[in-house]
Amino acid sequence: MERLLRKEGKAHVFNDRATLDAVTEAIIERGYLTGVEDETDDYERYGLYFDDPIGYQVRSDGSSIPLYYAEIKIIKGTDKYHVIPRTRPRRTN
């Protein structure tokens, strides 16, 4: 998180490990495909909005905002994935 704050001025963080696990399970069960960048992409994105905050975006000035959306990036043809709390779905071309 500190590296992202220095590099980008903000970082997205889950509330805790239990929330990360619950979000991961929910996206796998009910998430919707948000797209792929293009045919050469090695992963697909699935996302889901939540009623309660799942994490927060912390900024280098010390402020923060709650996050209600998360996405999972699944590497095609594998069981490897990365779950990310976000402010909204990532824009695709």
Side-chain angles (χ1 to χ4, degrees):
M1 181 176 90
E2 290 177 9
R3 182 180 55 81
L4 282 173
L5 285 173
R6 283 192 306 273
K7 183 178 178 184
E8 299 179 16
K10 62 185 177 182
H12 296 167
V13 182
F14 281 102
N15 290 334
D16 52 38
R17 179 61 189 236
T19 302
L20 166 65
D21 293 342
V23 166
T24 301
E25 185 176 323
I27 295 173
I28 289 170
E29 290 176 0
R30 303 185 314 271
Y32 55 91
L33 182 65
T34 60
V36 292
E37 297 295 317
D38 59 42
E39 302 81 38
T40 63
D41 266 354
D42 292 334
Y43 55 86
E44 297 175 336
R45 293 175 188 270
Y46 294 83
L48 191 62
Y49 279 99
F50 295 86
D51 293 332
D52 298 313
I54 57 166
Y56 55 95
Q57 179 191 79
V58 62
R59 298 179 181 179
S60 56
D61 66 3
S63 65
S64 65
I65 61 170
L67 300 175
Y68 294 86
Y69 179 80
E71 70 178 18
I72 188 169
K73 288 171 49 175
I74 301 173
I75 299 173
K76 292 179 183 176
T78 73
D79 59 354
K80 296 179 182 180
Y81 59 87
H82 180 72
V83 183
I84 310 158
R86 300 182 61 84
T87 55
R88 64 182 180 273
R90 186 175 186 278
R91 295 179 191 178
T92 57
N93 297 337

